[in-house]
Amino acid sequence: MTAPIVLGSTSRHRAELLRRLLADFTQAAPGVDEAARPDEAPAARALRLAIAKAAAVARTHPQALVIGSDQVAELGGAVLDKPGTPERARRQLRASSGRTVRFHTALCLLDARSGVRHTHVDLTRAVFRALGDGEIARYVEREQPLDCAGSFKCEALGISLFERIETDDPSALVGLPLIALARLLRAAGHPIP
């Protein structure tokens, strides 16, 4: 019998993605402090937080395979956190206009029974087209991407902001790299499909 799967996230976007692979899983809030550490590289921060989320949920689900994931957006070496306000979202999008934003999406699959963990970090490059202030304002008003790293939702209208997206896994940009997750689940003995 395979272990139950728990997604260590309250994100509905991650849950929707995971439903592409699995019909049966539960979600649990990890309750992890996501503050950056001094001089922490974006990919390292994403991986640290994915591991921390999986570990936090594993403590309350000791018989489960726990999935933790985190995404950090980077523009010119600076992290683009979730904007939280429309003004910050507009500012982030103005800064991203005509430039490439790198998204580091980390994944941790932790077998709470054995403590064995498997990890992966995906790198996606989103190349923004030149954006005018009016279209940025309209986009932010319509989408309200205040809880999204980089201030956009590529699974919705945000796709119109790009020239192109360079990635090995298109689901990673939404927040859960499914190609890697399917591989990690198979390695942990959970059949996919």
Side-chain angles (χ1 to χ4, degrees):
M1 184 170 127
T2 60
I5 305 288
V6 180
L7 175 61
S9 172
T10 57
S11 165
R12 70 178 176 85
H13 302 294
R14 285 193 176 109
E16 287 169 6
L17 283 171
L18 186 53
R19 280 188 198 94
R20 292 184 189 177
L21 296 181
L22 302 171
D24 187 25
F25 66 92
T26 58
Q27 280 184 267
V32 170
D33 178 5
E34 297 189 27
R37 293 183 177 165
D39 301 320
E40 187 174 35
R45 177 181 173 188
L47 183 58
R48 173 180 59 84
L49 291 173
I51 292 168
K53 289 174 182 181
V57 170
R59 286 192 284 278
T60 57
H61 295 81
Q63 297 303 311
L65 286 174
V66 181
I67 300 164
S69 185
D70 194 76
Q71 185 177 74
V72 177
E74 169 194 6
L75 176 62
V79 170
L80 298 176
D81 285 317
K82 296 173 184 175
T85 69
E87 177 50 40
R88 280 190 227 134
R90 289 188 295 271
R91 206 169 30 239
Q92 280 188 0
L93 290 170
R94 275 193 295 276
S96 300
S97 176
R99 298 177 68 193
T100 299
V101 177
R102 297 163 49 102
F103 289 85
H104 306 274
T105 308
L107 174 64
C108 177
L109 179 65
L110 175 61
D111 188 332
R113 300 164 300 178
S114 65
V116 173
R117 75 176 185 216
H118 305 275
T119 60
H120 172 80
V121 180
D122 181 87
L123 173 62
T124 300
R125 292 173 185 86
V127 181
F128 280 75
R129 62 184 180 77
L131 304 171
D133 285 344
E135 64 187 322
I136 289 171
R138 286 189 302 276
Y139 173 75
V140 171
E141 174 69 25
R142 180 170 165 189
E143 286 287 287
Q144 295 292 310
L146 309 183
D147 63 343
C148 300
S151 299
F152 71 88
K153 298 177 184 179
C154 72
E155 65 276 17
L157 183 61
I159 199 72
S160 69
L161 304 176
F162 306 119
E163 289 289 335
R164 67 185 176 281
I165 296 172
E166 302 165 355
T167 185
D168 291 331
D169 187 339
S171 59
L173 189 55
V174 182
L176 190 63
L178 293 181
I179 294 171
L181 180 57
R183 183 179 68 246
L184 297 183
L185 284 166
R186 286 190 300 269
H190 194 90
I192 301 291

